[in-house]
Amino acid sequence: VEDKAPEIEQPTGDILFKDNCKTVRISRKTGLMESYVLNGKELLTGGAFEPLMYDDNADPWGWDMERIGENEATMSLSNCQNGPFRGMENVKIVEDGDVLTEVESFFEGASSFVRVSYKIYKNLPYTDVTVDAYWNEKEKALKVKVPSSSNGAFVGQISFGAEEHEKDGKEKPVQRFAAMVEGEKSFVVYNDGAFGFSHEKGATYTTLLRGVAYCAHPIGTMPLIKRNIYIPYIEQGKRTFRFRMSYDDTKTLENNAQAFNNAQLGLNFFPHGDGEKAESVLSVDNKAISLAAFYQEKGKYVLRLINNNDSAQTAKIVLQGKVFDTAFGKYEVKTFVYDGESLVEKEIWY
């Protein structure tokens, strides 16, 4: 019988991570990422990915609502006495290998619990953060807060584009990334399933959950719901949210967001051959240009690409060894058809 491998040694005091490009500090007192220095630049001004709870209402549509929640309250570092974290350590290194170091922190508030996991990759500029919420609240909202040192423009990704927003604390429709844009560089938080963001007082907030009813439409002065019967609420239960925090070239944000969101493909057959590496089928030399679609139709291949930037871009597309030069205006989407020999732009698509 092999001896059981010893558990990872847990240092006393704050957890400090250093590699060739960054230094990260996670506080044992708060459970939060308190510092993130990348290539000599401090990206944070306080604890990042702090879970916060707010008073909300039962209306799932947010009728006449410009911002979600009021009376902000912090969720405290869990004492690990009850619930899913009972008997555990509230801040702990759970993995420390050649690829990454993972630290998890446990929080609790009211009737709910939150786990925040930080995956800090060795010699890479970004860190992945997973938030697991065990949500049991009625008429409460859950957000996470990321206070950054950047004073750039607050920009959010939308379908085939990006939009600058006011830093007024009001809820904004944002999809795959929210960034503080500083010209050619941006402090950015990528996400794969949260669509409401806001920014005020130097911090970006992501709305994760609301304790709302299934049908509670405001009608005049009538109460939203009956208070003397059981009402099921929508977002209770376990929910998981994934983020990636980095400081990237602004023109690459769409491409990076796509890489973060795209899951690895599963194939329903075994690989074949003798292990030889196949030649590249498709490549694009400019990361400002993102591939939105690539599929076969009627014996030809269709490519849809986007320049999600406010400046014109050029790119070389290599298909089966053939090189094609392309040009894109700002925020331009183009669809091409490849027949095995030529690449032709399709201006009208049905």
Side-chain angles (χ1 to χ4, degrees), residues 173-213:
V174 172
Q175 297 190 20
R176 296 191 297 193
F177 66 76
M180 302 299 293
V181 177
E182 305 171 342
E184 294 183 356
K185 301 289 288 187
S186 294
F187 174 79
V188 57
V189 177
Y190 304 100
N191 85 92
D192 76 342
F195 306 106
F197 285 74
S198 60
H199 188 95
E200 65 178 339
K201 298 178 181 178
T204 298
Y205 296 79
T206 308
T207 301
L208 304 184
L209 297 167
R210 297 181 62 219
V212 295

Side-chain angles (χ1 to χ4, degrees), residues 23-37:
T23 301
V24 182
R25 180 172 62 87
I26 296 172
S27 169
R28 285 195 177 276
K29 292 182 179 180
T30 66
L32 303 175
M33 184 184 294
E34 299 287 350
S35 176
Y36 199 99
V37 179

Side-chain angles (χ1 to χ4, degrees), residues 61-305:
W61 291 278
W63 200 257
D64 292 329
M65 183 183 288
E66 291 187 326
R67 63 168 65 214
I68 290 179
E70 56 186 14
N71 301 324
E72 176 183 297
T74 60
M75 296 187 73
S76 61
L77 198 62
S78 177
N79 59 20
C80 297
Q81 298 298 311
N82 300 291
F85 309 141
R86 185 178 64 177
M88 303 175 73
E89 190 174 349
N90 56 18
V91 181
K92 186 176 182 180
I93 301 172
V94 294
E95 183 173 349
D96 188 24
D98 295 337
V99 175
L100 62 87
T101 295
E102 182 179 9
V103 180
E104 66 181 8
S105 300
F106 300 142
F107 302 87
E108 60 183 79
S111 301
S112 297
F113 302 85
V114 170
R115 170 186 177 264
V116 179
S117 157
Y118 311 95
K119 289 185 177 179
I120 310 166
Y121 297 96
K122 304 292 174 71
N123 301 315
L124 291 175
Y126 56 79
T127 287
D128 286 354
V129 180
T130 300
V131 178
D132 292 311
Y134 300 82
W135 189 241
N136 301 304
E137 306 306 319
K138 299 195 300 183
E139 298 175 48
K140 296 281 187 180
L142 176 66
K143 301 183 183 184
V144 289
K145 174 183 178 182
V146 181
S148 75
S149 61
S150 173
N151 194 34
F154 176 43
V155 174
Q157 193 262 6
I158 58 177
S159 180
F160 294 104
E163 187 174 1
E164 183 176 350
H165 298 290
E166 295 291 330
K167 302 176 185 178
D168 54 8
K170 296 179 181 179
E171 199 78 359
K172 313 298 182 185
V174 172
Q175 297 190 20
R176 296 191 297 193
F177 66 76
M180 302 299 293
V181 177
E182 305 171 342
E184 294 183 356
K185 301 289 288 187
S186 294
F187 174 79
V188 57
V189 177
Y190 304 100
N191 85 92
D192 76 342
F195 306 106
F197 285 74
S198 60
H199 188 95
E200 65 178 339
K201 298 178 181 178
T204 298
Y205 296 79
T206 308
T207 301
L208 304 184
L209 297 167
R210 297 181 62 219
V212 295
Y214 281 89
C215 185
H217 196 294
I219 303 176
T221 59
M222 295 178 61
L224 280 172
I225 58 173
K226 293 181 178 181
R227 296 292 178 182
N228 60 346
I229 61 172
Y230 171 77
I231 299 289
Y233 283 72
I234 296 174
E235 294 179 337
Q236 292 177 340
K238 181 180 181 294
R239 300 288 187 272
T240 297
F241 304 88
R242 294 175 57 246
F243 303 93
R244 173 168 290 174
M245 187 182 76
S246 191
Y247 188 68
D248 292 335
D249 292 338
T250 300
K251 69 179 184 179
T252 68
L253 298 185
E254 175 73 22
N255 213 316
N256 296 341
Q258 185 172 319
F260 178 63
N261 275 262
N262 286 356
Q264 296 296 316
L265 297 177
L267 303 177
N268 62 348
F269 54 82
F270 291 105
H272 58 83
D274 297 322
E276 67 275 9
K277 186 177 180 180
E279 296 295 329
S280 173
V281 174
L282 169 64
S283 67
V284 182
D285 73 338
N286 185 354
K287 282 198 171 184
I289 305 301
S290 299
L291 180 69
F294 180 39
Y295 59 92
Q296 189 176 28
E297 185 174 274
K298 298 179 180 178
K300 299 180 180 180
Y301 290 90
V302 178
L303 298 82
R304 186 164 296 114
L305 299 106

